[in-house]
Amino acid sequence: MIIVKTLREIELMKEAGKVSSRALKLAGESIEPGITTAEIDEIVRKYIESHGAKPSFLGYGGFPASACVSVNNVVIHGIPSKKCVVKDGDIVSIDVGAYLGGFHADNAWTFPCGTISKEAQMLLDATKESLYEGIKAAKIGARVGDIGNAVQQYVESRGYSVVRDFVGHGVGAQLHEEPSVPNYGTHGRGVRLCKGMTIAIEPMINLGGYEVQVLDDDWTTVTKDGKLSAHFEHSIAITEDGPLILTDYGPESNK
Ligand code: MG
């Protein structure tokens, strides 16, 4: 069942979005050669808790941390670790959710550490742009397939591939709600978008093939070919004025 939100509920989700996107921004600013992914997680947890919110991911399905931190060929769900030291030239995807006022907000960003290759920078740029292409398609009356199609067209025309095994989702009182929001799809297909729907759009884009593999810890998801992967995500609301980004205080915001 798709749960549509009232304007009041969307306002509450904006508050959760403020906390989760500011935590993400802060985490990104901490990235430098030598930091561990456990230290990044700690920054996220402290920020969220000190703002009266709860980290959405901590304990979710047994996940042991407040942020997913996924380096290089890790696509998503990287478990923060004291043993995972970030190096110059790495790309670091951080996924953060905050629960405040009865609602979750979920967002992710992939950051460069120090100087990264041109190839890596182009992947980050294309993945980020594809997120905004997907958001642009999220209008009242459009379909979920229009969002996926916009993301897919943007990245595949640049030679990248779209992860199939993991998708975006509705977000609200639950971290994951209906509908599923794939990053691939066909125009005019899928659930019709209506006023008050709140969804997380989150392209996971690979430099090589789209196939991924979940490691023995049951979380860490890597590219099968070992090549780089990037991940950007916003939680948005479908409104009469167009898509409204709820997590709009993130890495590139000056709010
Ligand atoms: Mg998500």
Side-chain angles (χ1 to χ4, degrees):
M1 189 182 62
I2 294 170
I3 301 162
V4 170
K5 281 76 176 178
T6 63
L7 284 178
R8 166 79 188 136
E9 289 169 330
I10 289 171
E11 286 303 313
L12 289 171
M13 288 190 69
K14 269 162 93 174
E15 293 305 308
K18 205 180 270 185
V19 176
S20 66
S21 54
R22 283 186 170 150
L24 182 60
K25 182 175 187 166
L26 193 64
E29 286 165 357
S30 77
I31 292 178
E32 56 179 8
I35 194 168
T36 68
T37 58
E39 288 169 325
I40 295 169
D41 176 62
E42 188 65 6
I43 289 165
V44 167
R45 186 184 62 77
K46 280 190 177 153
Y47 184 89
I48 292 174
E49 291 181 347
S50 69
H51 289 77
K54 284 188 178 159
S56 302
F57 301 167
L58 187 61
Y60 184 88
F63 191 76
S66 300
C68 301
V69 188
S70 307
V71 180
N72 294 336
N73 64 314
V74 182
V75 181
I76 49 167
H77 299 167
I79 299 175
S81 162
K82 285 177 189 162
K83 290 180 196 154
C84 183
V85 181
V86 178
K87 305 183 304 297
D88 185 65
D90 285 346
I91 60 170
V92 185
S93 303
I94 304 177
D95 194 344
V96 171
Y99 181 73
L100 180 70
F103 292 95
H104 294 274
D106 188 6
N107 63 170
W109 204 266
T110 304
F111 300 93
C113 178
T115 308
I116 62 171
S117 68
K118 185 155 185 251
E119 186 181 54
Q121 187 61 54
M122 286 169 70
L123 174 68
L124 300 197
D125 293 345
T127 306
K128 182 176 70 182
E129 276 313 308
S130 77
L131 167 61
Y132 290 105
E133 290 296 310
I135 291 171
K136 263 194 265 173
K139 297 180 203 148
I140 292 174
R143 304 273 188 160
V144 162
D146 296 331
I147 297 173
N149 189 261
V151 172
Q152 184 175 20
Q153 293 288 333
Y154 190 87
V155 297
E156 287 186 353
S157 67
R158 285 159 179 77
Y160 303 117
S161 63
V162 176
V163 170
R164 303 293 201 272
D165 291 1
F166 295 90
V167 297
H169 50 91
V171 60
Q174 304 296 322
L175 179 60
H176 294 117
E177 297 184 351
E178 288 181 37
S180 289
V181 184
N183 299 297
Y184 53 92
T186 308
H187 270 306
R189 293 279 177 86
V191 170
R192 194 180 290 280
L193 303 173
C194 62
K195 184 177 138 185
M197 279 174 67
T198 48
I199 56 175
I201 302 177
E202 51 175 321
M204 292 152 252
I205 306 301
N206 294 351
L207 192 60
Y210 67 76
E211 297 90 349
V212 300
Q213 187 179 352
V214 180
L215 301 185
D216 286 344
D217 61 19
D218 288 336
W219 286 106
T220 312
T221 301
V222 299
T223 54
K224 253 194 183 154
D225 58 17
K227 293 187 177 174
L228 296 177
S229 184
H231 180 209
F232 287 77
E233 174 180 30
H234 273 307
S235 294
I236 69 157
I238 315 287
T239 79
E240 275 168 350
D241 302 323
L244 171 71
I245 298 176
L246 301 167
T247 44
D248 204 18
Y249 293 78
E252 284 183 349
S253 165
N254 42 28
K255 287 182 186 172

